Amino acid sequence: MQRVLTAVQMREAEAAAQERHGMPSGLLMENAGRALADAARSIAGPGGRFTVLCGPGNNGGDGLVAARFLLEGGARVVVSLVGDPAKLTAESKRNLQALEGFGESPRAFEALPESGAGDVIVDALFGTGLRRAPEGAFADAIGTVARWRRAGAKVVAADVPSGLQSDTAEPFALCVEADVTVAFGFLKPAHELEPGASLCGDVRRVDIGLGGESARAVSGAELLRVEEQDARDVIPARRADTHKGTYGHVLVVAGSPGKTGAAAMVALSALRSGVGLVTVATRAEALPWVMAHSPEIMGIALPGEGPLGKGDLEALKSALEGKDALVMGPGIPRGPETGALIGDLLAAVDVPAVLDADALNAVAEDLTVLRRAKGPVLLTPHPGEMARLWGRTTKDVQQHRVGVALNMATSLNVTVVLKGSRTLIAEPGGRVFINPTGNAGMATGGTGDVLSGVCGALLAQGIKLPKAAWTAVYAHGLAGDLAAKRRGLMGLIATDLLEDLGAVWVRWGR
């Protein structure tokens, strides 16, 4: 896992490195500037010129160091200080003097030569502390960087592209779009969450001397980026002396006339994710259509007809006997009693439960039913479903994804998978995991059903939350990435993921 730090946490980490471990702030800036120069060289064209734009803060100091290292290497470099030079930090002033010792003095921004193909712009205007839209000379500089980039120049950003808010990943109207962003010490939310991630380009995290111990000194929520090795290590290798009972039995409560495919996709993805047995419980008129999708699916007909309600409690309790996990929601017939039924069922059994789709819409009417659950609960909403659960708009959810997911997880004592680009997994203990896999081709009906099946399968195999959740999300997204290579983004459909889940397990040696 890689730690992801907010702006405040980054300042705390830097302070800890300096005060507890004796790391001078000047050396941190020197290391950051050297890494920035290395990144700039790596994308320059033959004979290209480097234009380094520096603000008055420490990010500007990083840029001044980078300019000096580029000059030492014999590059053609021009530097401009944007803003009031009197506001330079002490470290930045020292590095300005060092740069001038190499015979290079900053030029007025208006006097800079034009940049184009082969050239590199080093954006060191703003860092993680930006809180308001760039104005005046800064706005002009950002606009000019955009023009130079359209002309073919490459852009390297110091820590975060100027105009991008580090903590929210939201850009202001004027924002640099970088080809490479050099993340100093630790990743930031803007590197991992959209729309910021797309504006950062290729994110290259570099060690500047903070050390892992400094991250332990920070306060607030713990954000972590899941790496492939993390997910792979959660899935145990299969022993030879095992049988279908070893790998658990999932009950899937899903489907209704016209939505039987949802139940089938949950069941099939669970089977493709290693569970020993899958049984689908649904109304009698839907059951044959579900089971027709695959001979491996078993079924239980729920008596009665119409929406699920309190009258279905005993049948569902009976169906859960001997099962190791529950997945409930995709395509179910929802009515006014469905939310209460779910609350009663969760209070009566202690198996881990995955609630998705219409199960989420049902409990949104009274979230307190979730607090009655005996066993662990995993919610897997997309932004629209989360908006209904939270009582806000989808736009609100998307603008505060980390906070919304974490608040729901901690307040209801559940694990939350907030789906979308860079899906988030929030746990009751206060950690949020960021998933890097997946693509826009997965924005198609049924991919969420596939995910809920993977989650149910891992839970049934005894993998605990939140590991089961972030491993399932990583594998699901990776399957989508592999499928997109075969089908393209536009041609990808949910059932393509079933084949590529197998490819994930092969890749992981499972």
Side-chain angles (χ1 to χ4, degrees):
M1 298 265 182
Q2 288 197 55
R3 282 296 303 268
V4 180
L5 300 190
T6 65
V8 169
Q9 289 174 330
M10 192 66 191
R11 288 195 293 272
E12 291 174 342
E14 290 174 347
Q18 294 169 38
E19 296 167 10
R20 301 184 188 182
H21 308 297
M23 174 61 68
S25 60
L27 184 55
L28 293 175
M29 186 173 287
E30 189 80 0
N31 292 340
R34 180 186 288 110
L36 195 58
D38 290 343
R41 285 193 201 96
S42 73
I43 61 171
R49 183 179 58 243
F50 298 86
T51 299
V52 184
L53 305 179
C54 302
N58 283 334
N59 242 45
D62 299 332
L64 293 169
V65 173
R68 172 163 49 83
F69 276 110
L70 290 168
L71 284 167
E72 284 181 355
R76 293 189 300 150
V77 181
V78 292
V79 180
S80 181
L81 281 175
V82 181
D84 185 357
K87 295 182 178 179
L88 283 173
T89 64
E91 290 295 345
S92 295
K93 287 178 180 177
R94 279 193 283 272
N95 281 297
L96 175 59
Q97 293 170 353
L99 179 67
E100 290 172 337
F102 277 81
E104 177 62 33
S105 295
R107 308 185 192 184
F109 182 77
E110 298 78 9
L112 292 177
E114 290 293 309
S115 292
D119 297 334
V120 175
I121 313 302
V122 177
D123 164 30
L125 294 171
F126 294 112
T128 59
L130 183 65
R131 293 291 180 271
R132 57 189 176 90
E135 300 173 339
F138 296 103
D140 293 340
I142 291 172
T144 301
V145 170
R147 176 166 56 80
W148 287 341
R149 190 169 186 269
R150 289 193 296 271
K154 300 292 186 181
V155 178
V156 175
D159 222 9
V160 292
S162 294
L164 180 61
Q165 298 175 81
S166 181
D167 289 355
T168 67
E170 289 290 330
F172 289 108
L174 282 172
C175 181
V176 168
E177 183 174 357
D179 296 283
V180 173
T181 296
V182 182
F184 299 144
F186 296 95
L187 294 171
K188 319 300 186 298
H191 302 143
E192 293 300 308
L193 305 177
E194 294 292 357
S198 293
L199 294 169
C200 290
D202 177 21
V203 177
R204 304 179 185 178
R205 188 188 70 82
V206 296
D207 181 13
I208 60 171
L210 292 176
E213 287 295 321
S214 62
R216 297 186 179 92
V218 306
S219 59
E222 186 176 1
L223 272 67
L224 298 143
R225 172 192 161 108
V226 181
E227 302 295 336
E228 185 168 2
Q229 186 69 46
D230 301 319
R232 179 169 53 223
D233 288 349
V234 168
I235 309 293
R238 295 206 161 196
R239 292 169 43 199
D241 60 338
T242 54
H243 52 84
K244 63 189 177 185
T246 306
Y247 300 107
H249 192 163
V250 173
L251 179 70
V252 176
V253 182
S256 58
K259 298 179 180 179
T260 55
M265 283 188 284
V266 176
L268 289 169
S269 63
L271 288 165
R272 288 291 185 189
S273 299
V275 76
L277 296 165
V278 175
T279 297
V280 174
T282 190
R283 293 288 187 220
E285 66 264 33
L287 186 58
W289 298 97
V290 174
M291 297 182 67
H293 282 84
S294 176
E296 292 90 352
I297 300 173
M298 298 183 292
I300 294 174
L302 295 176
E305 57 185 26
L308 296 180
K310 289 190 172 184
D312 295 292
L313 178 60
E314 293 305 318
L316 288 173
K317 287 167 60 178
S318 177
L320 271 168
E321 292 179 4
K323 308 302 188 297
D324 301 290
L326 166 68
V327 178
M328 186 170 186
I332 60 171
R334 178 167 62 95
E337 294 185 354
T338 308
L341 166 68
I342 293 170
D344 291 343
L345 183 62
L346 295 178
V349 298
D350 60 2
V351 298
V354 181
L355 302 185
D356 187 30
D358 270 326
L360 297 172
N361 294 327
V363 299
E365 299 167 6
D366 180 12
L367 289 175
T368 62
V369 301
L370 298 174
R371 296 196 179 100
R372 300 165 53 204
K374 277 188 177 180
V377 175
L378 172 61
L379 310 182
T380 60
H382 58 57
E385 290 162 343
M386 179 59 92
R388 287 187 283 276
L389 290 168
W390 195 39
R392 303 290 180 87
T393 66
T394 301
K395 182 179 180 181
D396 289 336
V397 169
Q398 293 294 74
Q399 289 179 337
H400 305 92
R401 285 174 58 83
V402 172
V404 169
L406 186 58
N407 178 268
M408 183 154 290
T410 55
S411 63
L412 296 174
N413 194 35
V414 297
T415 301
V416 175
V417 169
L418 179 52
K419 294 181 287 196
S421 180
R422 308 294 175 112
T423 290
L424 302 177
I425 304 93
E427 57 140 0
R431 292 183 298 174
V432 178
F433 303 88
I434 303 172
N435 179 65
T437 60
N439 58 76
M442 297 169 69
T444 183
T447 55
D449 303 328
V450 173
L451 174 60
S452 63
V454 182
C455 292
L458 298 189
L459 289 169
Q461 291 171 72
I463 300 172
K464 307 298 183 183
L465 292 173
K467 285 184 178 181
W470 52 254
T471 301
V473 170
Y474 193 102
H476 175 261
L478 181 55
D481 291 338
L482 296 174
K485 291 180 180 178
R486 295 187 298 111
R487 304 289 190 182
L489 296 179
M490 290 184 65
L492 193 153
I493 60 174
T495 50
D496 292 333
L497 273 63
L498 298 175
E499 179 178 344
D500 284 290
L501 278 169
V504 172
W505 312 135
V506 170
R507 174 170 166 149
W508 291 358
R510 301 297 188 264

